Amino acid sequence: MSGLPPAILLMGPTACGKTAAAMDLATRFPVEIVSVDSAQVFKDMDIGTAKPDRATLERFPHHLIDLVTPEERYSAARFREDALRVMAEIAARGHVPLLVGGTMLYFKALRSGLADLPQADPELRAAIDAEARLRGWPALHAELAAADPETAARLAPTDAQRIQRALEVVRIAGEPLGAFFARQAEAAPPYRMLALALVPGDRAVLHQRIAQRFDAMLADGLVGEVEMLRSRYRLDAALPSMRCVGYRQVWDMLEGRLPAAELRDRGIFATRQFAKRQLTWLRSTPGIAIIDCLDRQSQATIARFTEQHVSRS
């Protein structure tokens, strides 16, 4: 590991101060910022994604924002491919990749890789379900044990959903689930990564920040932004872009499903729920150094971690 180039991962829930911390690091160290945000990849979605403004981007350029239109889809697999390409370019310039954001699935994909499992086959799943009705799930579990004993050993004979998926993979690919996950483990990125997370010591303060931020988005024209997107692009409520927090609530209001008087409260509530999921992931994931974002010395602490990590290279 000591011979690998360094990379810094700066994670945290929405409204915890990641952007400010990243810009502080960029004034201290030769880093280049890489966005890890599944909403900021969309062009013309600026207000509701809290995308840095033009002046900020001119001073602190961000990689991996404004990649696709709101009509398109962008996956964790594509992020990993794009991020590794950009990180290699940054390292070749003698700089350190600083990956900043709150899309935890993207961080997981980058750090752990993605098992390239076969896509679900509805017809095959229906056939397996039919077999289960005739023979019972314990019989199919026994079949799985013959083809993929490692997976079967982890599953109860009545775990229908997981037995179905494991059998589906075996029948489509001709190899067990474990083979896919072994290849995934071999796909670790060639970097010595330092994972840092900004986490509030007082959840109530984070909730206040979320409310203030959503109020600022409304004042800056979030509703008008969604109206512009609807007129410029062919969108529907099922697209990932319009499922983003804030955009979903404005869409529902414009469609008449949400009273305008409830927009603010619904948007704040949805953002708080999103932050809760982010915090749950961070606290349950090993290998991440937790820093209280409410501590006045948090940026100095991040800088100290970074200096120690970069100096080891």
Side-chain angles (χ1 to χ4, degrees):
M1 289 291 290
S2 60
L4 296 178
I8 312 295
L9 311 183
L10 183 57
M11 319 173 195
T14 185
C16 73
K18 297 183 296 295
T19 299
M23 292 189 297
D24 179 71
L25 281 184
T27 64
R28 300 173 185 246
F29 301 96
V31 301
E32 294 187 37
I33 299 172
V34 182
S35 172
V36 186
D37 191 303
S38 61
Q40 291 186 0
V41 300
F42 294 113
K43 299 175 182 178
D44 294 323
M45 291 175 55
D46 303 329
I47 298 172
T49 65
K51 199 176 292 177
D53 60 27
R54 183 171 300 178
T56 300
L57 291 175
E58 287 177 357
R59 186 179 178 194
F60 303 101
H62 284 49
H63 299 277
L64 303 190
I65 65 172
D66 295 333
L67 300 180
V68 296
T69 73
E71 297 170 325
E72 300 176 80
R73 297 174 184 271
Y74 189 85
S75 66
R78 182 172 170 184
F79 167 78
R80 189 175 198 272
E81 179 181 338
D82 288 344
L84 289 174
R85 171 181 52 78
V86 167
M87 292 171 72
E89 294 168 356
I90 293 171
R93 289 191 284 269
H95 294 169
V96 177
L98 170 60
L99 293 100
V100 183
T103 301
M104 304 311 168
L105 176 61
Y106 285 8
F107 279 117
K108 183 177 185 297
L110 179 65
R111 298 176 79 198
S112 306
L114 292 165
D116 191 19
L117 295 171
Q119 292 200 355
D121 183 328
E123 291 186 5
L124 178 54
R125 288 191 170 190
I128 293 172
D129 284 339
E131 290 179 44
R133 286 193 293 272
L134 289 173
R135 301 166 52 201
W137 285 108
L140 293 184
H141 182 267
E143 178 185 329
L144 178 64
D148 185 355
E150 183 179 342
T151 299
R154 297 198 304 268
L155 303 181
T158 55
D159 192 341
Q161 181 177 354
R162 291 181 174 83
I163 293 171
Q164 180 197 61
R165 179 55 174 157
L167 275 178
E168 179 186 39
V169 169
V170 168
R171 293 184 184 183
I172 292 175
E175 58 181 343
L177 275 171
F180 289 92
F181 291 117
R183 288 195 291 271
Q184 174 186 357
E186 294 170 359
Y191 294 90
R192 185 166 45 83
M193 292 186 172
L194 170 65
L196 306 173
L198 285 169
V199 172
D202 185 345
R203 188 80 63 92
V205 176
L206 181 66
H207 290 172
Q208 292 173 2
R209 288 186 177 184
I210 287 171
Q212 292 167 356
R213 183 152 140 175
F214 195 75
D215 284 339
M217 289 177 178
L218 291 175
D220 289 342
L222 176 59
V223 173
E225 181 172 81
V226 178
E227 290 174 331
M228 174 273 293
L229 294 169
R230 284 160 60 101
S231 66
R232 181 173 297 179
Y233 300 102
R234 298 180 62 182
L235 303 176
D236 61 65
L239 284 168
S241 60
M242 292 300 105
R243 293 206 305 269
C244 292
V245 172
Y247 291 91
R248 181 187 306 180
Q249 287 72 37
V250 174
W251 182 284
D252 286 346
M253 185 197 74
L254 294 175
E255 290 289 306
R257 293 191 293 269
L258 176 66
E262 296 182 18
L263 173 61
R264 177 184 182 273
D265 288 346
R266 290 282 190 91
I268 291 172
F269 177 76
T271 308
R272 286 172 58 168
Q273 293 298 108
F274 177 53
K276 181 180 179 181
R277 293 193 296 272
Q278 292 172 307
L279 288 168
T280 298
W281 188 90
L282 287 169
R283 291 196 170 108
S284 64
T285 302
I288 299 176
I290 302 295
I291 298 165
D292 187 349
C293 66
L294 304 181
D295 185 344
R296 293 181 179 180
Q297 299 300 314
S298 61
Q299 291 187 0
T301 302
I302 293 171
R304 186 168 61 252
F305 272 110
T306 300
E307 183 174 19
Q308 293 170 353
H309 187 69
V310 172
S311 65
R312 289 172 52 202
S313 56

